[in-house]
C-alpha cells in the first residue's frame, strides 16, 4: 500500500494534520486501518521540518521494518524523514548515555518503572532534559506499560517534553503490560499535574473512525471478534470485495500448496501467513521451511534472531509470522493458518478474540481461514462457538456444505465441559491453574516487543525440543 499524500487525507485525518498543536502532547486513537500510523508519520515529519528532533518509537522490529518504505515515500512528498526505532533500543541507549548505567530492572529487557520514576525525581532538571531531547511519536501505545505514561506526564510538566501517542486498546496483544485509553489519558494528565486534585487536560485527543484498509466483507468478519473496549468499533468501509473463505486441509503441505498456488495466480499480492496456534515458533518455522522449498527467496519470516531487513512492501512475497508479531502490518492477502489448533476457554476468550481481531484486519483484499488437520465438513472449535455463529451463517464462504445446527453446538459445548472436568480430575488440580505455553510466556513481559518475542520464541523452542527428545 502506498503512503497517502496529504491530498488523500480524510476529514478526521486532516483535522489532526492541520490543527493538532506541535507543542502539545497528543493522543490519537482509532481502530485498525484508520490511519493512526500515517498520522504519526505526518506529525513526526512536520516536527522534523521545524528542526525539532523526533523519534518514532514502536513495539517491535517488524513494525519498524514496515515503516521504512513509508518514510521514504514521505520524503518524496518533500517531508523531512524522522527516525524510527524500537522503544527498548531508544530507552536503553538513552539511559546508558544519561545515567551511565543499564536501566533498572530484575533482568535485561525488564524495566523497574518504580525505580525509573524515582531516579527521574531525584535527577536535576538538566539530566531530565538530556534524556528527553527528542519529541516521541509512540505507535501501538496500548502495548506499553501504563507506568510509561506516568513518566511521560511527569517529564512533560517538568521539561515541556512533548509526546504523540497512537493507540487502540482493542489491539492489545500483551496480556500483562498494556494500557487502556483511559489509563493513558488519566495517568499522563495526573502526573503532568503533579497529582493535583483538579482534573486538568494536558494531552490533546483526536479520534479516527474510518476503515481505509479492509473490504466490507473482511471488516464484517473482523468485527465479530471486537472486544467492546474503549477505542470503539470502526465504521464499516464501502469498498466491496470477495467473502473471506474457510478451508480445511489434510495436512500442512496441502495448506502450503494452496498458498503457493494463490501466489502464482496473484503475483502482485503481498501475502501474510499468520500462525494462529499457541505453538507459534515451532509452526512458524515449519511453514517457512515448507514454503521455502517451493518459493525459495520469495518467502521470509520473523523471529527474534531474524535480520532486520524484512521487506514487507515487495509484491509477490510471502511473510510467515506469529500472531504476536503482526501488529501494524498489512498485506493484500492473509492466510490465518492452524485454526484447528486453537482452543479457547474461559479467560482466554477475550485475549484470543483480540488477537483474531488484529489478524483478520490485516488484509487489504483477501482473507483465508485455514485448518491443516480436519476433513470437510468438520469445523475447528473456534468456529463451533455460539458467539461466532454469524461466521457460519454467511460471513464466511465454505468449500463444503456448512449446516451446523443448534443441537450440534449445544452438544459440542457439553462435551467440551465434560472433557475439561475429566482432565482436571485426572491431573488432580483445579482448572484455574491450567496454563498453556503462550500464557506462561506472559508471566513477566519486558517492555520491548523484541525481547517479548525472544522470550516467547525461547520458551516455545525449549518445549518443542523436549517434545522431540521424548518422541525419540
Amino acid at each position: 500500500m502506498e503512503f497517502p499524500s496529504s491530498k488523500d487525507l480524510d476529514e478526521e485525518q486532516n483535522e489532526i494534520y492541520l490543527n493538532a498543536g506541535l507543542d502539545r502532547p497528543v493522543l490519537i486513537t482509532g481502530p485498525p486501518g484508520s490511519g493512526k500510523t500515517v498520522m504519526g508519520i505526518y506529525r513526526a515529519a512536520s516536527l522534523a521540518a521545524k528542526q525539532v528532533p523526533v523519534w518514532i518509537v514502536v513495539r517491535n522490529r517488524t513494525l519498524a521494518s514496515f515503516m521504512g518504505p513509508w518514510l521514504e515515500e514521505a520524503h518524496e512528498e518533500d517531508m523531512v524523514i524522522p527516525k524510527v526505532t524500537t522503544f527498548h533500543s531508544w530507552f536503553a541507549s538513552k539511559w546508558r548515555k544519561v545515567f551511565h548505567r543499564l536501566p533498572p530492572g530484575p533482568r535485561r529487557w525488564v524495566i523497574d518503572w518504580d525505580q525509573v520514576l524515582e531516579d527521574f525525581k531525584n535527577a536535576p532538571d538538566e539530566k531530565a532534559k538530556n534524556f528527553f531531547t527528542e519529541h516521541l511519536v509512540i505507535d501501538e501505545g496500548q502495548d506499553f506499560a501504563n507506568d510509561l505514561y506516568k513518566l511521560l506526564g511527569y517529564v512533560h510538566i517538568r521539561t515541556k517534553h512533548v509526546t504523540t501517542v497512537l493507540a487502540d486498546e482493542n489491539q492489545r496483544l500483551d496480556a500483562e503490560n498494556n494500557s487502556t485509553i483511559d489509563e493513558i489519558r488519566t495517568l499522563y494528565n495526573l502526573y503532568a499535574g503533579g497529582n493535583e486534585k483538579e482534573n486538568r487536560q494536558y494531552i490533546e485527543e483526536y479520534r479516527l473512525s474510518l476503515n481505509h484498509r479492509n473490504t466490507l466483507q473482511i471488516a464484517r468478519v473482523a468485527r465479530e471478534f471486537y472486544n467492546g473496549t474503549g477505542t470503539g468499533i470502526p465504521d464499516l468501509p464501502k469498498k466491496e470485495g470477495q467473502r473471506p473463505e474457510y478451508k480445511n486441509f489434510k495436512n500442512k503441505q496441502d495448506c502450503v500448496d494452496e498458498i503457493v498456488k494463490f501466489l502464482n495466480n496473484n503475483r502482485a499480492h503481498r501475502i501474510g501467513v499468520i500462525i494462529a496456534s499457541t505453538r507459534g515458533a515451532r509452526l512458524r518455522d515449519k511453514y517457512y521451511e515448507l514454503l521455502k522449498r517451493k518459493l525459495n527467496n520469495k518467502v521470509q519470516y520473523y523471529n527474534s534472531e531474524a535480520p532486520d531487513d524484512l521487506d514487507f512492501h515487495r509484491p509477490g512475497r510471502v511473510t510467515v509470522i506469529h500472531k504476536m508479531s503482526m501488529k501494524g502490518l498489512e498485506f493484500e492477502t492473509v492466510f490465518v493458518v492452524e485454526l484447528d489448533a486453537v482452543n479457547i476457554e474461559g479467560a482466554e476468550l477475550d485475549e484470543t478474540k483480540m488477537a483474531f481481531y488484529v489478524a483478520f484486519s490485516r488484509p487489504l483484499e483477501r482473507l483465508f481461514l485455514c485448518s491443516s488437520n480436519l476433513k470437510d465438513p468438520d469445523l475447528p472449535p473456534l468456529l463451533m462457538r455460539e458467539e461466532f455463529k454469524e461466521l457460519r451463517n454467511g460471513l464466511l464462504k465454505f468449500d463444503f456444505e456448512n449446516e451446523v445446527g443448534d443441537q450440534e453446538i449445544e452438544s459440542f459445548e457439553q462435551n467440551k465441559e465434560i472433557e475439561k472436568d475429566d482432565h482436571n480430575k485426572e491431573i488432580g488440580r483445579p482448572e484455574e491453574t491450567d496454563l498453556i505455553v503462550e500464557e506462561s510466556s506472559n508471566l513477566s513481559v519486558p517492555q520491548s516487543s523484541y525481547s517479548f518475542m525472544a522470550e516467547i520464541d525461547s520458551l516455545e523452542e525449549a518445549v518443542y525440543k523436549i517434545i522431540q527428545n521424548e518422541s525419540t
Side-chain angles (χ1 to χ4, degrees), residues 220-237:
R220 281 175 171 161
V221 169
R223 72 190 289 150
E224 290 297 304
F225 294 83
Y226 170 66
N227 217 26
T229 50
T231 312
I233 196 165
D235 298 339
L236 285 171

Side-chain angles (χ1 to χ4, degrees), residues 66-113:
F66 180 82
M67 275 191 186
W70 272 11
L71 293 173
E72 293 176 9
E73 291 180 42
H75 180 60
E76 294 174 4
E77 287 261 316
D78 295 326
M79 297 164 63
V80 179
I81 300 180
K83 297 171 287 187
V84 60
T85 186
T86 62
F87 173 79
H88 175 78
S89 296
W90 173 83
F91 188 85
S93 175
K94 277 287 187 176
W95 194 274
R96 287 194 298 268
K97 183 178 180 179
V98 174
F99 289 92
H100 308 294
R101 54 187 169 85
L102 292 174
R107 62 182 184 277
R108 192 183 183 193
W109 316 124
V110 180
I111 298 174
D112 182 345
W113 284 104

